[in-house]
Amino acid sequence: MSQGKFITIEGTEGVGKSTNLAFVRDWLSGQGREVVVTREPGGTPLAEEIRSLLLTNRAEPVSPTAELLLIFAARAQHLEQVVKPALARGAWVLCDRFTDSTYAYQGGGRGFDKDRIGLLETLVQGDLRPDMTLILDIDIELGLSRARQRSEPDRFEGETVRFFEQVRAAYRDLAARAPERYAVVDAGQPLEAVQKDIAKVLERLNG
């Protein structure tokens, strides 16, 4: 049985990840692929508990190092329980966020040393990397206005515009460094145009 493929969807707040993740799932299912949809932080009961710890607003300041280690703890559990077994049986794994979020949010937004993130990436993942990462890109002010219409901001959504500008820049830098693995999609377009662009990427990967 052939190894499955690992697709991740990334972006700042309000880019439409949930809507477009559903589009990707349906597109791949239409091609006869078994699709496992999951998310980070999260994806298993333990990892979902860690997600709650990370996203909850709290009076106690959260150390950037503690935040980073919690994220990778959840990721280690998620990979062993969900991602690796699914890929091994030939399923295509579709994940809402993965390690690129860590480079963007903790590296770009928090200013955490990217080499240290890389050490944890290697420790937890070995040589496992996504086959394709879709980065949904949008003007920060527009994205935040969309996100804040949905619900009360969580601990990350409540960050400053400057924080998210740094996150967006980090995503763009990742894509520029490895264009063969990343596809940047303009999420400020009408939804039909966004999904047309995504379908072009999927056609190349599916072929």
Side-chain angles (χ1 to χ4, degrees):
M1 184 177 294
S2 63
Q3 178 87 355
K5 291 193 183 294
F6 187 18
I7 302 173
T8 56
I9 297 184
E10 298 280 358
T12 52
E13 311 309 311
V15 294
K17 281 190 296 88
S18 298
T19 298
N20 288 299
L21 184 138
F23 171 79
V24 174
R25 177 201 63 205
D26 293 346
W27 192 97
L28 291 172
S29 296
Q31 303 298 310
R33 303 289 184 185
E34 179 194 352
V35 184
V36 173
V37 179
T38 187
R39 69 176 182 176
E40 287 213 348
T44 79
L46 173 58
E48 289 290 335
E49 288 184 42
I50 297 173
R51 177 188 181 90
S52 179
L53 289 173
L54 284 162
L55 298 188
T56 299
N57 289 301
R58 63 187 72 246
E60 178 187 2
V62 179
S63 155
T65 302
E67 181 179 276
L68 183 68
L69 292 173
L70 282 169
I71 287 167
F72 271 104
R75 182 163 296 140
Q77 185 73 2
H78 183 222
L79 284 171
E80 293 303 319
Q81 298 298 317
V82 176
V83 177
K84 288 180 181 179
L87 292 173
R89 70 170 184 266
W92 286 44
V93 177
L94 178 58
C95 191
D96 181 345
R97 299 198 182 282
F98 192 58
T99 308
D100 292 310
S101 278
T102 311
Y103 280 107
Y105 280 74
Q106 282 67 47
R110 302 271 189 244
F112 208 97
D113 183 84
K114 293 182 177 64
D115 289 338
R116 292 190 177 186
I117 296 174
L119 289 173
L120 289 170
E121 180 181 33
T122 300
L123 173 67
V124 170
Q125 298 170 220
D127 59 1
L128 176 64
R129 301 292 183 274
D131 294 283
M132 174 57 66
T133 297
L134 292 164
I135 297 177
L136 302 178
D137 183 63
I138 200 170
D139 174 80
I140 294 301
E141 296 277 10
L142 175 58
L144 288 176
S145 70
R146 286 182 181 178
R148 288 167 181 168
Q149 287 171 9
R150 293 193 313 249
S151 60
E152 191 70 22
D154 62 33
R155 196 171 65 83
F156 284 97
E157 291 170 342
E159 288 287 351
T160 65
V161 170
R162 175 173 170 73
F163 174 89
F164 287 112
E165 291 288 4
Q166 292 169 331
V167 171
R168 186 187 188 193
Y171 274 130
R172 288 180 163 187
D173 182 61
L174 287 166
R177 290 172 182 270
E180 69 284 354
R181 183 164 82 76
Y182 297 88
V184 180
V185 176
D186 178 4
Q189 306 176 88
L191 182 59
E192 182 179 356
V194 172
Q195 294 182 342
K196 184 176 180 180
D197 288 346
I198 291 173
K200 290 177 183 176
V201 177
L202 296 176
E203 285 165 4
R204 293 199 302 271
L205 189 62
N206 192 50

